Amino acid sequence: MIAHYNAQDADSYVALMTDDACEAGYRGAVLREGKEGVRSGLKAMFAEFPQNRADILSSYVLGETVVLHEKVSRSAESEPFEVMSIYSFEGDKVSRVEFVR
């Protein structure tokens, strides 16, 4: 998924998600709802930040959960930031991503 994200390929990114998947703050409000909400949100973000990139600093897998510690850069001029992304799976598809920042 991160390769698709870094290629700014929202369509391939959401192809790996369930139809009702969402992205949310950790234990908080949903930021992007459903596959189409994630797709449109990513496309808007990629348009605003054409140099956006996430690099994985470390990763953990336990059952149907994957946690990535990422360093995100929006542009050459902006300060990078770190985020923990928690991916929950249903089978081989992502059903929810929560961000700790």
Side-chain angles (χ1 to χ4, degrees):
M1 285 185 89
I2 297 298
H4 296 310
Y5 179 90
N6 285 337
Q8 297 198 357
D9 184 351
D11 295 324
S12 294
Y13 181 92
V14 300
L16 301 173
M17 302 180 96
T18 62
D19 290 339
D20 62 347
C22 69
E23 294 185 331
Y26 178 65
R27 300 181 68 180
V30 172
L31 307 169
R32 301 179 185 122
E33 191 162 1
K35 201 181 244 187
E36 293 311 313
V38 173
R39 182 190 327 270
S40 65
L42 286 178
K43 286 186 176 191
M45 185 184 65
F46 294 153
E48 184 177 355
F49 302 106
Q51 297 175 351
N52 189 77
R53 175 176 181 79
D55 293 304
I56 299 170
L57 301 176
S58 59
S59 62
Y60 306 90
V61 178
L62 182 61
E64 292 189 342
T65 304
V66 174
V67 177
L68 300 179
H69 179 193
E70 304 171 28
K71 185 173 188 177
V72 179
S73 302
R74 296 282 192 219
S75 71
E77 299 80 33
S78 67
E79 188 69 30
F81 61 91
E82 292 183 23
V83 63
M84 296 294 284
S85 301
I86 304 164
Y87 293 79
S88 299
F89 284 79
E90 291 178 10
D92 63 347
K93 300 276 186 175
V94 172
S95 59
R96 184 175 179 94
V97 183
E98 291 185 277
F99 302 104
V100 180
R101 186 169 165 192

